[in-house]
Amino acid sequence: MPVRLHARALLLDMDGTLVNSDAVVERCWRRWAERNGLEPESVLRVVHGRQGHATMAALLPDRPMDVNLADNAVMLAEETADTEGVVPVAGAPAFLAALADWPHALVTSASEELARTRMTASALPLPPVLVTAERVSASKPDPEGFLKGAAELGFAPEDCLVFEDAEVGIAAAKAAGMRVVGVGPRAAAHTPTAHVASLEAVRVEAAPEGGLVVTVG
């Protein structure tokens, strides 16, 4: 049964939501896991959605944060240099085209350079507002990024609808007081407001009373 959600602005995660970068993420984080004596599959279960240094802190809690930050700079450089296998999520081009005249922002744990690189590699247009890793003091699941995106677009949290794929991103959206559409298999287990297998199942239309109606499913 389709779900209809009214919103005035949309806040969009990038990796796993608009861009399928799993191949790069897995390559880079497998190498990191091996360098640090960790089991790669265990590492890959927790990397999605967070900034790299936050993932490192969770996996190596006794390591000083300045080491994690330096290591994360290396990781970002590796990920930015590797675009092999980076493609749009199914339905992402048409979805973003439908949003062209509506308020929307990208809220991602990636750096601005990495976000621009992956959106370009996927041939996707950048939203008019970017909230990237450099622009927040805390990584998802902290709600700061989504709250900042809403404020920059000029809307209250309850007027915004988030699109996310990862557990920490869904938690961040909920903590911001926002409804969230979970996209893809990772999202299904984390009780989003609504869930779709891909963006192909999302339709965006003008609402008679103003704003948008987003039909999911």
Side-chain angles (χ1 to χ4, degrees), residues 7-23:
R8 295 191 175 277
L10 302 189
L11 304 176
L12 315 173
D13 175 54
M14 182 181 69
D15 292 303
T17 301
L18 299 175
V19 172
N20 183 345
S21 57
D22 284 358

Side-chain angles (χ1 to χ4, degrees), residues 185-205:
R186 279 193 290 266
H190 305 298
T191 60
T193 310
H195 178 260
V196 288
S198 80
L199 294 172
E200 292 173 305
V202 177
R203 189 169 73 254
V204 179
E205 302 168 292

Side-chain angles (χ1 to χ4, degrees), residues 10-14 18 96 104-117 119 124-136 145-146 148-150 152-153:
L10 302 189
L11 304 176
L12 315 173
D13 175 54
M14 182 181 69
L18 299 175
L96 285 173
H104 63 292
L106 192 72
V107 181
T108 175
S109 294
S111 67
E112 181 173 344
E113 183 181 12
L114 181 57
R116 290 183 180 277
T117 296
M119 293 291 281
L124 294 174
L126 277 169
V129 170
L130 305 181
V131 181
T132 56
E134 302 93 334
R135 302 209 46 227
V136 297
F146 287 126
K148 186 164 282 190
E152 292 207 10
L153 291 172

